Amino acid sequence: FELDDSGIGVLEKKCKKFNKVGKETATFKSVEATIVQFKESIPLIVLLKNDAMKMRHWEKLMEVTGVKFEMNPKSLTLENIF
């Protein structure tokens, strides 16, 4: 899974190009933190799409997170989970 060519990688590169004054603003810091947190989540998101995920895995995930959702690979989206 490649992050640097599109999506979050592009945002991350744009953040690095901000000048010092811009990087000191609360808005910049908030956006940068969100980008970093999302980037750290991507490997987990990729694993959730893995065909090896069985119903018992999804049930355990729902139990641990306290989030209930309908597990249907064709309609499962991040929006449905979060």
Side-chain angles (χ1 to χ4, degrees):
F1 188 77
E2 185 61 45
L3 298 176
D4 296 330
D5 294 333
S6 63
I8 199 74
V10 170
L11 290 174
E12 188 175 38
K13 286 179 184 178
K14 287 183 179 188
C15 281
K16 289 180 182 180
K17 292 181 180 180
F18 267 71
N19 63 33
K20 185 177 180 179
V21 174
K23 288 181 178 180
E24 292 175 358
T25 66
T27 302
F28 177 86
K29 290 177 182 179
S30 176
V31 169
E32 183 180 44
T34 300
I35 290 170
V36 169
Q37 290 170 352
F38 183 74
K39 185 177 177 182
E40 291 172 354
S41 300
I42 291 175
L44 175 60
I45 294 166
V46 170
L47 289 173
L48 291 174
K49 188 64 177 154
N50 190 317
D51 291 335
M53 288 284 289
K54 304 295 182 204
M55 185 49 94
R56 68 179 184 273
H57 300 126
W58 289 105
E59 290 169 353
K60 184 66 174 179
L61 180 64
M62 287 185 268
E63 176 187 327
V64 169
T65 62
V67 176
K68 303 292 181 201
F69 52 88
E70 180 184 343
M71 184 33 227
N72 180 343
K74 293 181 181 180
S75 64
L76 184 65
T77 64
L78 291 177
E79 182 179 22
N80 294 346
I81 296 174
F82 298 106

